[in-house]
Amino acid sequence: MTFLKMKKRFTFLATAITFLALAACNNNSGLKTETKTNEKKTDSVTTGQVAKTDKKKPSNMELLQGKWQSNDDKTNFLVFEKNHRKEIAEGMKKWDDEEFILSDHCQNDLNKADNNPKEKDRYMSCKKSDLCWYIESITSEKLVLDYMGRGNTLTYKKVKK
């Protein structure tokens, strides 16, 4: 076989292999996409869950609103109404009612200089009483506060109306 014939045959084979490889890649990626789409549909149907992409997570201020009961002292209640924090416990004659500020650091004088990391809407400050709490966690059912003055953890559950 001459060099020219071998070169033509080699070029033909290289072109054919390249074409088949490209066709196979395009065909496989289409199948994978279809499979993934079908798997997602199956998962949604199987679990009965609907994607919640358009609903935003409630803010800490929204989650705070309502009445909370202490897990440690069943006579202790907190009520949050807009920017008011109300508290009552056994032995108190009336509700303690004070405005609070929700921010990324303590706003009260006693804790203002603390070097705690700033976190959006995680610090609840009552300037009048000079108190501050860090919201360790909050859900629609449970509230965990760290009192910045002593560092103790306070846990509450939401009271159903």
Side-chain angles (χ1 to χ4, degrees):
M1 196 180 281
T2 66
F3 176 75
L4 191 56
K5 283 184 180 178
M6 284 177 59
K7 185 177 176 184
K8 281 183 182 179
R9 196 171 275 198
F10 177 77
T11 304
F12 174 77
L13 285 173
T15 304
I17 290 170
T18 303
F19 177 77
L20 288 173
L22 286 173
C25 286
N26 286 338
N27 195 19
N28 283 343
S29 68
L31 287 175
K32 285 182 183 174
T33 304
E34 186 176 333
T35 303
K36 286 180 182 175
T37 304
N38 287 339
E39 286 172 5
K40 286 180 184 174
K41 286 180 184 175
T42 303
D43 286 348
S44 295
V45 171
T46 304
T47 60
Q49 294 178 350
V50 178
K52 297 179 183 178
T53 52
D54 25 279
K55 288 189 176 182
K56 68 173 191 147
K57 181 183 170 194
S59 69
N60 284 350
M61 180 64 100
E62 291 169 327
L63 288 169
L64 276 174
Q65 301 303 302
K67 189 174 187 179
W68 301 86
Q69 182 180 24
S70 171
N71 288 355
D72 298 323
D73 177 0
K74 302 299 182 195
T75 70
N76 179 250
F77 292 91
L78 291 177
V79 175
F80 295 95
E81 292 175 346
K82 297 181 183 175
N83 67 330
H84 280 262
R85 177 190 173 278
K86 300 175 182 180
E87 182 174 14
I88 197 162
E90 187 175 30
M92 295 173 70
K93 296 183 190 273
K94 64 178 187 161
W95 285 88
D96 180 33
D97 183 356
E98 186 174 351
E99 287 187 23
F100 71 92
I101 301 166
L102 204 57
S103 66
D104 64 353
H105 63 281
C106 287
Q107 297 281 321
N108 64 317
D109 291 332
L110 182 65
N111 300 99
K112 217 177 227 184
D114 289 351
N115 291 325
N116 295 312
K118 292 187 176 191
E119 295 183 60
K120 183 175 173 30
D121 294 339
R122 296 296 287 245
Y123 292 89
M124 182 185 349
S125 303
C126 289
K127 293 186 95 171
K128 182 179 166 190
S129 60
D130 200 23
L131 301 173
C132 182
W133 297 266
Y134 172 75
I135 300 173
E136 187 175 302
S137 65
I138 186 168
T139 66
S140 59
E141 306 280 326
K142 184 178 178 183
L143 171 63
V144 180
L145 300 173
D146 289 333
Y147 175 55
M148 301 304 288
R150 283 187 239 135
N152 54 324
T153 301
L154 309 165
T155 306
Y156 298 87
K157 66 179 179 180
K158 190 74 164 260
V159 176
K160 305 287 185 212
K161 291 184 180 185

